[in-house]
Amino acid sequence: MNTKYEPLFTPWKVGNVEIKNRIVMLPMEGTNMIQWEAKTGYVKGIEEFYRDRKDNNVGLFIPGLIPLITIIGEKWIYKHPEMFEPVKPVIEEIHQSGAKIFFQLSAGAGRSMILPSLLKPFIKKGFLKTVSSKLLMSKWWWSAPDPDEPSVWDPDVKMDLFTSEMISQFVYAFGQTAKLCKEAGVDGVEIHAVHEGYLLDQFAMPYTNHRDDAYGGSLENRLRFACEIVKEIKKVCGDDYPVSLRYSVCSMTRGFNAGAVPGETFDEVGRSMAESEKAIKILEDAGYDLFNCDNGTYDAWYWAHPPVYAPLNMNLSYVEHIKQFTSKPVVCAGRMQPDAAAESIKAGRIDAMGVGRQLLCDPEYVTKIKEDRLEEIRPCIACHGACLPFNGMNGKGTDIDPMHVEMGRCVLNPWTNNETKYSKEPAKQPKRIAVVGGGIAGMEAAIQASLRGHTVTLYEKTDKLGGVFNAAAAMSFKEKDKALLTWYQKQLEKSGAEVRMQTEVSDLGSLDADVVIVAIGAHARTLNIPGAELAVTATDFLNGNAPVGDKVAIIGGGLTGCEIAYELALQGKHPYIVEMTEFLVGARGICMANSTMLRELLRFHKVPAYLNATAESITEDSLVIKTPDGKQTIPTDSVILSVGYTPDKHFEPTEKPKKQAPGTPQLYFIGDCDEVGSLKTVVKQAYETVQKISYA
Ligand SMILES: Cc1cc2nc3c(=O)[nH]c(=O)nc-3n(C[C@H](O)[C@H](O)[C@H](O)COP(=O)(O)O)c2cc1C
């Protein structure tokens, strides 16, 4: 092991429980061990998920949260001890590996709960509201400390009051549920959460709590609920049963649906550092043994769920600061990197490194650090594309399709949380496979096919692998995307696939193969308006082929357009955005943490955006746009078009044959040449195509 990482592999203690190293797998929905929806408590595939990670040197596991009461039907988990039975063998296996496990118990979400905004269409006013909301969702999930505060997702959704009687029932339930955890062999519990703007945090913060009872007003009162919980657990489970608290050091919040960005001076409406210094002492005195820390609220969600725009180790200095105000250990979360964590642990500034998404992306992450194989780590690019893929429109609703919610999966590693769906066995019948196109889809298909035992040749017409992802990774803040390209190239080399660079395939029939996978990507779209030839495409700009001036119009306020605007602002230029819809970064499936951080960064850098606006014409020094207020001519040096892509269909037969002609190879079109999508769709399709070829 590189001596630099040694501090990560030293033991530490939470209460009396010794943990073998300083790496904590953070709680994530999708890694839950107990789920009501699973009826018996058994979550399909959970053994496989934990087996992949427990044998790979995680020190402490904290699976995704367990609600104390069901969302529908008001069933208390502590009244159903049978829910713990199926997970006992998994806990046992984890213990045999030398790791420890804490269960995270949740008080719920209050105004941060997304479901009421999704159910709104079904819920009528008055009496009907009471009846239908009871049928659809229990009051526990519909209540907040202060019902006048707007829902994070939709101001039209009104919450009910979380009464002091409900608090007492919850405190009791926490004690009883922790007791079941202890009896099941779980090493400790974590309380969710004076963190991220969840229910307990709404009690704790001034801007979401205007109560005049014992749970509102002074800091002690606002923390009373969280303190009563730990006292009850200690009373029921004993003083030595460890209780951790998920804790946001600072809220980093300017107001409702308004977060601060790194480096910004602002008025904190939530928990300031000064208040946090006092709060952590009160919580420690109440009995908490560990603080699992970062920053943020649902109004500044990207501090708790740092996207690609968030600096690495974004929360570290805050957590290091707060450690000085408690004698208990602290964990730091949020894009933590092993070198920064090791240095901080060595200096005694934090106690452990929390790792979330990187462990979804690469289960062997810790082993690879330990064995000094860091270049083999599949880097998490903080896209949230499959682990947390739902968008929020700054309080104007959400894009969730309630029928297709998925969490805790990984764009780059389709295997994660699909362990019982896919196979890693050798192919039933190894084949000769030609892959045409060396973008992400082509590389993923070639690597997977080689791993399954096929003989693979990949043809790339340029001198560079990566396709359009080279442009996507070009921006200065995309260090992990660049690392991903390097990782793909190395894996491809390692896979044994033959790679023929600068080899254009003009006739698929000329390929000597049983299977041909076409992955030739897409072309950037242009606009049919006067002067369009004066504009450059986003890809040309990002690839460095089209320099731009100082005042730059970006037509298209989707993800790429807004990222380009941010990049130009970082370069000191003066970009502005023209977007035809009402929202920037409004596409379905982009995580709210990513979209809001990008919007807040554009606000901070004063990048103007014209919404509901269309481009009419371009000249050498101006752009004419049509807005709801009329036409405007804006002096402009350069125009970048970021208006999407069209699939390259030049290999696709105009009429698809119903059956494969004898003697011809099986043909698959994958990635953007099949249908323009995202990194998620591209990787998944490549992965599933190889599964089909191998096991069908
Ligand atoms: C899919 C997903 C689900 C999450 N669910 C929870 C949760 O149940 N409880 C919690 O305290 N944090 C939850 N988090 C936050 C993570 O624990 C972690 O703090 C966050 O991902 C930042 O760490 P990372 O950059 O290492 O991923 C979740 C994060 C993700 C990505």
Side-chain angles (χ1 to χ4, degrees):
M1 182 194 321
N2 187 324
T3 50
K4 174 160 100 169
Y5 299 116
E6 276 172 5
L8 294 174
F9 296 95
T10 53
W12 59 303
K13 274 184 155 183
V14 179
N16 289 333
V17 171
E18 184 167 293
I19 298 163
K20 67 177 175 183
N21 66 35
R22 308 290 180 126
I23 293 145
V24 177
M25 189 185 93
L26 296 164
M28 288 174 284
E29 286 280 346
T31 66
N32 315 50
M33 281 216 179
I34 291 186
Q35 257 181 5
W36 280 102
E37 301 76 46
K39 287 205 178 74
T40 56
Y42 172 72
V43 182
K44 196 171 165 218
I46 208 69
E47 294 106 319
E48 287 80 1
F49 178 91
Y50 280 93
R51 199 165 296 146
D52 281 351
R53 286 153 184 87
K54 79 173 173 54
D55 294 333
N56 275 301
N57 294 298
V58 169
L60 172 64
F61 286 99
I62 312 180
L65 65 86
I66 304 173
L68 293 191
I69 188 162
T70 50
I71 294 173
I72 300 166
E74 303 208 355
K75 279 196 261 168
W76 293 97
I77 198 156
Y78 73 83
K79 294 185 181 169
H80 293 270
E82 73 280 3
M83 297 288 282
F84 286 76
E85 289 307 318
V87 295
K88 283 183 181 168
V90 189
I91 294 170
E92 184 52 39
E93 275 193 34
I94 284 176
H95 282 154
Q96 276 165 15
S97 77
K100 296 287 193 298
I101 179 160
F102 285 10
F103 272 9
Q104 189 182 60
L105 307 179
S106 179
R111 67 177 278 271
S112 304
M113 184 67 182
I114 195 167
L115 263 181
S117 59
L118 300 178
L119 294 177
K120 201 178 71 173
F122 304 101
I123 290 169
K124 308 279 177 329
K125 296 212 160 52
F127 171 72
L128 272 176
K129 178 184 163 186
T130 322
V131 175
S132 49
S133 69
K134 274 232 165 93
L135 285 176
L136 292 166
M137 239 177 98
S138 80
K139 67 177 179 190
W140 303 92
W141 289 95
W142 201 280
S143 303
D146 190 337
D148 290 334
E149 305 306 348
S151 150
V152 169
W153 303 94
D154 187 339
D156 291 345
V157 170
K158 291 283 167 242
M159 307 302 288
D160 291 335
L161 178 71
F162 205 98
T163 62
S164 47
E165 291 74 35
M166 289 165 81
I167 293 176
S168 306
Q169 279 173 277
F170 246 45
V171 168
Y172 175 76
F174 265 108
Q176 296 305 306
T177 316
K179 186 166 166 244
L180 287 184
C181 293
K182 189 177 176 190
E183 287 166 2
V186 179
D187 300 288
V189 289
E190 175 163 286
I191 302 311
H192 177 265
V194 181
H195 180 245
E196 207 183 319
Y198 280 98
L199 182 88
L200 287 180
D201 207 17
Q202 288 160 41
F203 272 93
M205 293 182 297
Y207 83 115
T208 43
N209 181 344
H210 300 105
R211 299 170 76 104
D212 53 13
D213 62 2
Y215 297 93
S218 67
L219 178 61
E220 284 75 7
N221 280 0
R222 283 183 272 125
L223 291 173
R224 189 179 303 282
F225 190 0
C227 291
E228 286 177 353
I229 291 170
V230 67
K231 286 178 187 158
E232 176 73 11
I233 295 174
K234 296 280 180 178
K235 192 175 90 193
V236 176
C237 299
D239 265 348
D240 59 349
Y241 193 58
V243 185
S244 167
L245 181 67
R246 199 81 219 259
Y247 184 66
S248 297
V249 176
C250 294
S251 306
M252 308 308 288
T253 299
R254 298 181 296 118
F256 292 110
N257 291 112
V261 297
E264 183 170 11
T265 309
F266 67 102
D267 290 329
E268 175 67 81
V269 297
R271 188 160 42 259
S272 64
M273 187 59 98
E275 184 164 288
S276 200
E277 290 167 3
K278 297 188 191 94
I280 201 161
K281 184 79 183 79
I282 296 171
L283 293 160
E284 173 181 340
D285 289 346
Y288 285 104
D289 301 289
L290 172 69
F291 294 95
N292 185 0
C293 301
D294 53 22
N295 287 310
T297 62
Y298 264 73
D299 297 313
W301 214 36
Y302 38 87
W303 288 88
H305 296 272
V308 50
Y309 324 106
L312 302 174
N313 312 302
M314 187 194 198
N315 298 312
L316 182 58
S317 61
Y318 298 82
V319 181
E320 289 182 338
H321 179 88
I322 209 64
K323 182 171 162 65
Q324 301 171 69
F325 297 86
T326 175
S327 66
K328 302 295 177 185
V330 299
V331 178
C332 181
R335 296 198 89 189
M336 285 298 289
Q337 303 300 302
D339 42 359
E343 198 185 310
S344 184
I345 290 166
K346 189 175 175 192
R349 295 195 296 263
I350 60 167
D351 296 279
M353 157 165 95
V355 185
R357 293 162 292 172
Q358 182 60 71
L359 275 164
L360 298 179
C361 191
D362 191 340
E364 293 169 32
Y365 173 63
V366 189
T367 301
K368 288 175 181 171
I369 299 173
K370 203 171 178 189
E371 294 176 359
D372 211 15
R373 295 190 281 128
L374 275 87
E375 73 292 345
E376 287 180 35
I377 295 170
R378 181 195 281 117
C380 166
I381 57 170
C383 66
H384 282 127
C387 60
L388 218 49
F390 45 86
N391 211 340
M393 306 306 170
N394 270 10
K396 291 181 185 158
T398 170
D399 72 335
I400 276 204
D401 169 359
M403 304 312 286
H404 298 100
V405 185
E406 61 165 359
M407 279 164 92
R409 298 215 161 95
C410 181
V411 161
L412 299 176
N413 185 1
W415 174 258
T416 292
N417 269 318
N418 279 316
E419 294 86 354
T420 52
K421 176 175 167 192
Y422 298 139
S423 171
K424 284 189 175 174
E425 294 296 311
K428 280 188 195 160
Q429 198 189 342
K431 295 183 177 152
R432 293 167 309 140
I433 300 183
V435 179
V436 183
I440 297 289
M443 288 196 285
E444 178 70 26
I447 294 166
Q448 288 303 324
S450 303
L451 288 172
R452 308 281 87 84
H454 302 288
T455 305
V456 181
T457 311
L458 181 144
Y459 301 87
E460 166 55 40
K461 75 172 177 187
T462 71
D463 60 356
K464 206 171 181 180
L465 291 164
V468 75
F469 199 73
N470 284 301
M475 289 169 251
S476 57
F477 45 86
K478 298 233 181 149
E479 66 277 77
K480 291 288 174 185
D481 292 53
K482 292 184 189 80
L484 179 66
L485 277 168
T486 312
W487 180 86
Y488 261 115
Q489 285 154 21
K490 288 228 168 87
Q491 294 303 305
L492 189 59
E493 243 169 65
K494 218 174 109 184
S495 74
E498 185 188 345
V499 179
R500 297 199 194 159
M501 298 299 292
Q502 291 176 289
T503 308
E504 182 160 6
V505 174
S506 48
D507 173 14
L508 296 182
S510 68
L511 297 169
D512 183 22
D514 307 316
V515 177
V516 174
I517 300 177
V518 182
I520 53 174
H523 300 298
R525 275 206 205 126
T526 56
L527 282 185
N528 194 10
I529 56 169
E533 70 285 355
L534 295 169
V536 301
T537 63
T539 358
D540 275 345
F541 163 70
L542 290 168
N543 283 330
N545 301 328
V548 293
D550 175 56
K551 176 119 190 201
V552 186
I554 293 128
I555 301 180
L559 188 67
T560 308
C562 289
E563 286 183 347
I564 291 174
Y566 174 47
E567 174 74 355
L568 289 169
L570 290 177
Q571 291 173 10
K573 293 186 190 279
H574 294 89
Y576 70 94
I577 300 168
V578 180
E579 163 56 32
M580 63 193 285
T581 72
E582 190 187 344
F583 297 111
L584 293 181
V585 206
R588 171 165 270 183
I590 295 174
C591 175
M592 179 176 80
N594 298 48
S595 60
T596 50
M597 182 161 195
L598 195 45
R599 286 186 212 124
E600 293 285 8
L601 285 166
L602 293 173
R603 169 194 62 76
F604 182 62
H605 287 277
K606 300 191 173 54
V607 175
Y610 297 89
L611 299 176
N612 298 310
T614 47
E616 297 243 299
S617 61
I618 304 169
T619 69
E620 291 287 349
D621 56 8
S622 74
L623 173 71
V624 179
I625 61 170
K626 195 171 135 201
T627 73
D629 303 326
K631 272 194 190 182
Q632 290 190 42
T633 303
I634 306 169
T636 302
D637 299 323
S638 312
V639 177
I640 298 177
L641 296 181
S642 181
V643 289
Y645 293 85
T646 37
D648 183 341
K649 293 276 180 198
H650 86 269
F651 277 133
E652 210 154 316
T654 34
E655 261 184 49
K656 274 195 186 157
K658 289 209 173 69
K659 264 191 173 171
Q660 187 193 341
T664 60
Q666 258 178 316
L667 197 55
Y668 293 92
F669 292 87
I670 64 165
D672 285 349
C673 75
D674 180 41
E675 189 179 341
V676 172
S678 58
L679 192 59
K680 173 180 168 176
T681 54
V682 159
V683 173
K684 189 172 173 197
Q685 199 183 11
Y687 195 93
E688 291 192 338
T689 301
V690 175
Q691 291 279 316
K692 205 188 306 169
I693 294 167
S694 305
Y695 311 116

